[in-house]
Structure formats: structure tokens, C-alpha cells
Amino acid sequence: MDTIDSYEISSTTILSAAPTDNNTESSVAHPPVDVSALQLLSNHLESLFDSPESSYSDAKLILSDGRELSFNRCIVAARSPFFKAALAAAADKDPESTAVATKLEMKNIATDYEVGFDSVAAVMAYVYTGRVRPPPKGVSDCADEDCRHVSCRPAVNFMVEVTYLAFIFQIPELVTLYQRHLLDVVDKVIIEDTLVILKLANICVKECKKLFDKCTEIIVNSNVDIVTLKKSLPQGIVKQVIDNRKELGLELPEPDKHVSNIHKALESHDLTLVGLILEEGRTSLDDAYALHFVVAYCAVETATELLKLGLADVNRRNPRGYTVLHVAAMRKEPSLIAFLLTKGANASEVALDGRTALLIAKQVTKAGEYNCILERGKDAPKGRLCVEILEQPEKLGPFIEGASASLALADDDELKIRLIDFENRVQMARCLFPKEAHLAMEIAETKGTSEFTVDSLDPNGTGAKRSAPDQYMAPFVFQEKHRNRLEALSKTVEFGRRFFPRCSALLDKIADCETLNILAFLEKDTPENRLQKRQKYMEIQESLLMAFSKDNEELGKSSRSGSSSSTSKSTKRSNGKPSHRRRP
């Protein structure tokens, strides 16, 4: 799967993909096949599939993220028995649906996996053309520039999703093709991905018997623990693996009931019960590998609250050699990674397979997510945030615990100025970098504090509008709620600087802009001043857009430097609209 050639199917694929009539007599002589004519037909259908005009489509697939993929009912129904039945059922349910585009919800079709847009588009392109396209750049390759993109997580996920969709859409020749691809790489993937492939093979067990047997053999001979098996596979397969291990003398011990009770309590978000179990003294969080379990399988809030207790070693390794940070990187959850780092997790720890948390994060993140150029104010993908957090220098000094020491030496007016400046900076960050700002605020625990607004400077409650200078000059008594807010915002800014220095550098440029101060202190609201304010505002907006564009360009260059050709270009869509067209 590391080259495009492995996806190029000869003209025989088109012939083998054609449906056959089982009632046709075998003695009937078939005319000679005109391969060139079939190729021409395939090309014409491909151009129809790639056409942006919706007039060629009369039905839509609605994905879980809200994106839509349009298709022609006649073409698809002729090629897929599943769509033939599904479209007929939709027409019977609503006879008037033929006058409007029929909509099929993917969440009602693909109930075992949440499939991505590119996987759906790849299968639908095959339905149209009878040819297998190479996956779009940035979809089946990871963010690790040294990876061959044969057995990394994005490559495996793409193959699994396409195989699953081909099975659901009843396209057996495509299932067979991708089963061969998976058989070629199943010995190379990490064991967590083998579990995913085995789950797929169990769903398509008749069509994927070879894949099922191969994956089962690998899992039986591995050191995957019982807890992981039960969380990853159906009960029937778990029993089969355990029975096979017993026969081969490879049986692994079951966790004792106290460890199991801790895991069940964590799944139920019942930390009180966890505390009661620990009080019995029969086990500990470390013995139960509770941090590994909660980070891998439980809600982020549960994992965060357990980490706050400080009762377990964040750098403890499980029997397979992974630290908790390694597990968080596999889960691709930036808030857990950042929180673990604030609690002392060592980012330089190497797993038994030689990978650090950073390398794990890169290999589970699509290159398209990592290299994408975001529009201003759009959320950054989770994978990109994980890599960006782990890419920072390993030794940043101790994390701040609060601003109490510096606050004690400042008077009320100085504290008010700090509070206003921090509020403005954080609000600016929320506008420009919403995901990064939310993450920093979450770690700093700003949720329990009250936002400081201009209205809070009006002790009489008159609602009178204050100018920018009035915000700094108005009488003010610094209260405990203001202190809590200032400490939380101070932490937010500090975490932003440590985890997202690129974003913080841009915010520094904006904060240092002299035109902001000029605009703030224009007090007289005459027509001339209003015009001057408007001009200054336009200047600030232009400077901001230029700075943001330059920052994105620099990020794109740095993230692509040293990358292989498959990650040499970003994969943003030019118009931002959902499309199943070919990517450049």
C-alpha cells in the first residue's frame, strides 16, 4: 500500500466487477469484450461522479459530521444490491421522494464503525467506475515523515473503513481486494490495530475468513491482556482467544475482583466508589493500572478527576511497556496529554517498540490533519493539537500553581489592569484559536470562575457605557472572585505559551500593536473621531489578517519540511465546501 501502483487495477477489474445473471445459461456464447469501450465508459462515469453540478445526482448520503455525498440512483442501484434495495424501500416509504433528492443516513447504514468522508467517496467512486482510486493525499498517510505509510493508523483505518463499506454495500470483489491488502500488512501493524482488523474480519467473517484466522492467530500468540481484549472485541471472539491460549499453554491471568471493581467504578464515573475500594487495602491504583484504563476507555472528565487525586504514578508502565502518556497519545486526546504533562508525565519515555509519545501521536494522526492550513477562527484537528503539544521542548521548568505570590505585592489598580489585559488576551485567543484556547482554559480550570466584564465596573448598576480608558480608571475593589479569575487566566496564558507557542507569538504581536492603544483612547465621539476609529479598525483588521496568514504559511512550511512526497502538500479544500472530487 505504500505506492499508488498497488491501487491501479487493470481492465479485468472492470469486467469482474460487472454483475452477473445467475439465470443465464452457461452454454450461451458471449460476444467478445471491447475493453477499450469499457474503459471509456468508466472514464465517462468517473467524470460524472467528479462533476460539481448537482443536476447529475438525485440522491445523497448524509455522513455523521453533516457532510453530504451526492449520487445518481440509477447508476448506484445498478451496481450495488444494497443500494437497489435501500432506494426502493425509501421510495415505498415516501412515494413523493422521487421528486426530491433521496437522503440516506450513514449512521443508519454503517452501525459498526463511524466511517470517514474519504472512505465513503472511495467506495462510491468504485461503484461508479469499477476502478479503485488511490486514497487522497493526507488521508491514508500519517504525520510521521519517516513512515512508509503502509501500516500506520491512518493507512489501516482507511483500509478497514473501505472494506467495511464494501461489505455493507455488497460489493464482494472490493472486499476481496482490500482483504488482500490487509493480509499484507497485518503482520506489520501494532497490536492495537490488529484488534481493529480482527473486529472487522468478524463482521465480514464469510468474506474475510482468511483475515479472521490470521488476526486471531496473532492475538492468541500476543501478550494482549484480558482487559484489553474485553474492551476491544465481541465476547465470542474473546472466549475463542482465551480457549486457544489455554490449549497452547499461553493463558494470561484474569484481573482479580478488586481490580475489576475499580475499572467498573471508573467506567461509571464513580470516584467515590473507587475511594472506598482503595480503603479496603486489597489493591492500589498502580496495581490496577487505573490511569492506563481510565485514559484509554473512560470519559475525559473521569480521567482528569482521577489524575487530580494524585494517588497514582503517571509514569508507570503497564505490562506491555506503555506509560499513561503513550496511551493518551494513542487515544489522540489533546486535553489528556496536556493534563498529564502538567502532572509530571515524562514525554521522553520510550515504549518497548522504540516509540515516544510524540512519535505515537504522529503515527495515529493523518498527514492531512497535521499539515492543513486552517481558516481564521476554525477549530484545529485533535491529532494536530496532540502533536503540537508533544513537539514542545521536554524541559520547560515547573508549571505554575498560581499567581498568589505576585498578587500579594500588587495594589488593586494594578491587579485590575492585569485582569482586564488577561481577559482581553484570552478572548482574542478564543476568537483566533478556539480549540487551543478552550484546551488551555480547561487545564487552568477557568470554568469555576466568573468572567470579568465592563458591567462589573459599574458599582451603581446604572448600565452607563464606559469608554476604553474608563475601564482602567474607574474605581475598583479587588475581591476574592477577581483573584480567582486572575489566577485562572494567568494559568491559561501560561499553558498557552508552553503548549502553543506559535499561537501565543501571534497574540503577542496583536497585543503589542500600537494602533490598538490609539483606538482605545479616542474618547470624543464626533463624526471625525468615528471616521478615525473606522480607519484604525480597518488597519488593525488588515494587520491581523496579514499576521494570521503569515503564521499559517510558516506553520505549513515547518510541518512539511523533511516530509515525504505524500505529505508535501496540504489538503485543504479551496472553497471549504464538502466535495467528493479528486484532491490536487
Side-chain angles (χ1 to χ4, degrees):
M1 179 168 171
D2 51 336
T3 62
I4 291 180
D5 292 341
S6 63
Y7 283 94
E8 291 180 352
I9 310 301
S10 65
S11 58
T12 56
T13 302
I14 302 175
L15 302 181
S16 64
T20 58
D21 188 351
N22 294 329
N23 296 323
T24 303
E25 296 293 337
S26 59
S27 60
V28 176
H30 293 282
V33 176
D34 187 345
V35 174
S36 61
L38 287 175
Q39 289 177 331
L40 183 62
L41 174 61
S42 178
N43 291 338
H44 287 167
L45 289 171
E46 182 176 43
S47 66
L48 197 66
F49 179 74
D50 288 332
S51 175
E53 287 81 13
S54 59
S55 56
Y56 301 131
S57 304
D58 54 8
K60 293 180 179 180
L61 278 175
I62 312 299
L63 275 69
S64 58
D65 61 2
R67 287 193 284 180
E68 300 178 351
L69 192 148
S70 302
F71 63 92
N72 182 276
R73 284 184 289 190
C74 293
I75 295 174
V76 172
R79 294 274 290 134
S80 166
F82 167 82
F83 278 107
K84 184 177 182 180
L87 291 169
D92 291 340
K93 184 177 180 181
D94 185 7
E96 298 181 0
S97 63
T98 54
V100 296
T102 301
K103 294 184 178 181
L104 301 178
E105 297 276 354
M106 281 302 303
K107 65 181 180 181
N108 300 328
I109 298 172
T111 56
D112 302 286
Y113 288 100
E114 184 176 336
V115 293
F117 184 90
D118 294 291
S119 303
V120 178
V123 175
M124 294 301 286
Y126 178 84
V127 171
Y128 265 70
T129 67
R131 297 202 307 268
V132 179
R133 286 180 172 180
K137 290 181 179 179
V139 171
S140 67
D141 44 343
C142 69
D144 176 19
E145 59 269 16
D146 296 323
C147 180
R148 294 180 63 237
H149 310 304
V150 174
S151 56
C152 56
R153 178 71 57 80
V156 172
N157 282 348
F158 182 79
M159 288 188 286
V160 166
E161 289 178 14
V162 170
T163 306
Y164 173 67
L165 287 169
F167 171 77
I168 294 296
F169 295 162
Q170 300 176 26
I171 313 172
E173 72 279 2
L174 194 58
V175 175
T176 301
L177 175 64
Y178 273 88
Q179 179 184 209
R180 290 203 303 267
H181 284 309
L182 288 168
L183 283 169
D184 288 341
V185 304
V186 72
D187 288 322
K188 305 178 182 69
V189 303
I190 61 174
I191 204 68
E192 287 76 15
D193 290 341
T194 306
L195 293 169
V196 174
I197 298 173
L198 178 55
K199 182 180 177 181
L200 164 76
N202 181 63
I203 295 171
C204 319
V205 65
K206 290 183 179 179
E207 290 81 354
C208 297
K209 185 65 167 59
K210 290 182 179 179
L211 186 61
F212 179 87
D213 292 341
K214 181 65 175 177
C215 290
T216 303
E217 178 186 354
I218 292 173
I219 298 301
V220 167
N221 289 280
S222 72
N223 63 345
V224 177
D225 58 88
I226 303 299
V227 173
T228 301
L229 288 177
K230 290 182 177 180
K231 295 299 295 184
S232 306
L233 298 173
Q235 185 176 354
I237 303 181
V238 174
K239 184 178 184 305
Q240 181 178 340
V241 170
I242 293 175
D243 291 343
N244 289 351
R245 283 178 172 178
K246 285 181 180 180
E247 293 177 3
L248 297 173
L250 301 174
E251 187 177 4
L252 294 179
E254 291 265 4
D256 66 45
K257 65 176 184 179
H258 305 289
V259 171
S260 297
N261 289 338
I262 286 180
H263 292 170
K264 291 176 183 177
L266 290 173
E267 287 181 306
S268 303
H269 189 63
D270 193 344
L271 294 184
T272 302
L273 179 57
V274 171
L276 294 175
I277 296 172
L278 293 177
E279 287 179 2
E280 295 177 358
R282 304 291 183 86
T283 188
S284 67
L285 293 181
D286 285 339
D287 292 339
Y289 298 102
L291 289 185
H292 293 82
F293 182 88
V294 75
V295 166
Y297 305 117
C298 300
V300 173
E301 294 78 9
T302 306
T304 302
E305 290 183 20
L306 187 65
L307 283 165
K308 287 179 183 178
L309 297 179
L311 299 177
D313 181 6
V314 294
N315 290 308
R316 180 172 172 79
R317 292 177 180 270
N318 65 13
R320 296 178 51 222
Y322 290 127
T323 67
V324 184
L325 191 61
H326 293 149
V327 177
M330 289 181 192
R331 181 171 173 174
K332 208 163 67 171
E333 182 53 62
S335 59
L336 289 178
I337 291 174
F339 199 76
L340 281 166
L341 290 173
T342 67
K343 294 299 180 181
N346 188 351
S348 63
E349 290 283 353
V350 179
L352 297 181
D353 57 11
R355 297 185 300 164
T356 62
L358 172 58
L359 186 55
I360 291 173
K362 285 186 174 183
Q363 291 182 350
V364 301
T365 299
K366 294 179 182 179
E369 293 180 355
Y370 181 59
N371 295 325
C372 68
I373 297 178
L374 297 173
E375 297 180 22
R376 180 163 54 94
K378 297 294 184 181
D379 284 349
K382 278 190 173 182
R384 172 169 163 172
L385 291 177
C386 292
V387 174
E388 190 170 357
I389 291 171
L390 290 167
E391 277 181 330
Q392 305 314 313
E394 296 172 3
K395 295 182 179 179
L396 294 171
F399 284 90
I400 59 171
E401 294 297 333
S404 301
S406 61
L407 295 183
L409 302 176
D411 58 28
D412 285 2
D413 288 336
E414 183 181 347
L415 293 174
K416 177 183 64 176
I417 293 173
R418 288 191 197 179
L419 185 54
I420 293 173
D421 289 343
F422 276 135
E423 286 283 9
N424 291 339
R425 182 185 179 91
V426 171
Q427 290 301 324
M428 180 72 73
R430 293 174 68 181
C431 292
L432 296 179
F433 308 104
K435 199 74 174 182
E436 291 89 336
H438 175 77
L439 178 57
M441 294 176 72
E442 183 179 10
I443 301 172
E445 300 182 54
T446 60
K447 188 175 182 179
T449 62
S450 302
E451 182 177 350
F452 183 74
T453 62
V454 176
D455 292 339
S456 63
L457 291 172
D458 183 14
N460 299 320
T462 61
K465 185 177 180 181
R466 292 189 178 274
S467 64
D470 287 342
Q471 297 178 27
Y472 292 91
M473 298 168 61
F476 176 72
V477 177
F478 197 74
Q479 302 175 10
E480 186 63 27
K481 65 178 182 179
H482 301 132
R483 183 181 298 276
N484 294 337
R485 180 66 175 178
L486 180 54
E487 287 189 358
L489 292 178
S490 178
K491 282 185 177 182
T492 300
V493 173
E494 176 66 14
F495 288 137
R497 292 188 186 281
R498 289 172 178 267
F499 294 137
F500 309 109
R502 172 184 58 85
C503 305
S504 294
L506 179 59
L507 292 171
D508 288 339
K509 292 179 183 179
I510 298 171
D512 292 340
C513 181
E514 292 184 3
T515 50
L516 283 173
N517 295 326
I518 296 174
L519 179 60
F521 286 93
L522 288 176
E523 299 181 9
K524 297 179 179 179
D525 199 20
T526 63
E528 292 78 9
N529 282 334
R530 283 198 296 271
L531 177 60
Q532 189 177 2
K533 285 184 179 181
R534 181 177 179 81
Q535 290 173 341
K536 291 295 181 183
Y537 172 78
M538 297 301 292
E539 290 176 13
I540 295 171
Q541 187 179 47
E542 183 178 357
S543 300
L544 176 58
L545 290 173
M546 289 177 63
F548 195 86
S549 299
K550 184 178 180 181
D551 174 68
N552 264 322
E553 290 175 6
E554 291 175 354
L555 176 63
K557 290 177 182 178
S558 63
S559 64
R560 293 191 297 266
S561 61
S563 300
S564 60
S565 59
S566 63
T567 58
S568 61
K569 295 181 181 180
S570 68
T571 56
K572 73 165 187 174
R573 292 184 174 89
S574 58
N575 58 6
K577 296 180 180 179
S579 171
H580 54 269
R581 327 302 168 203
R582 283 186 183 275
R583 291 188 180 186

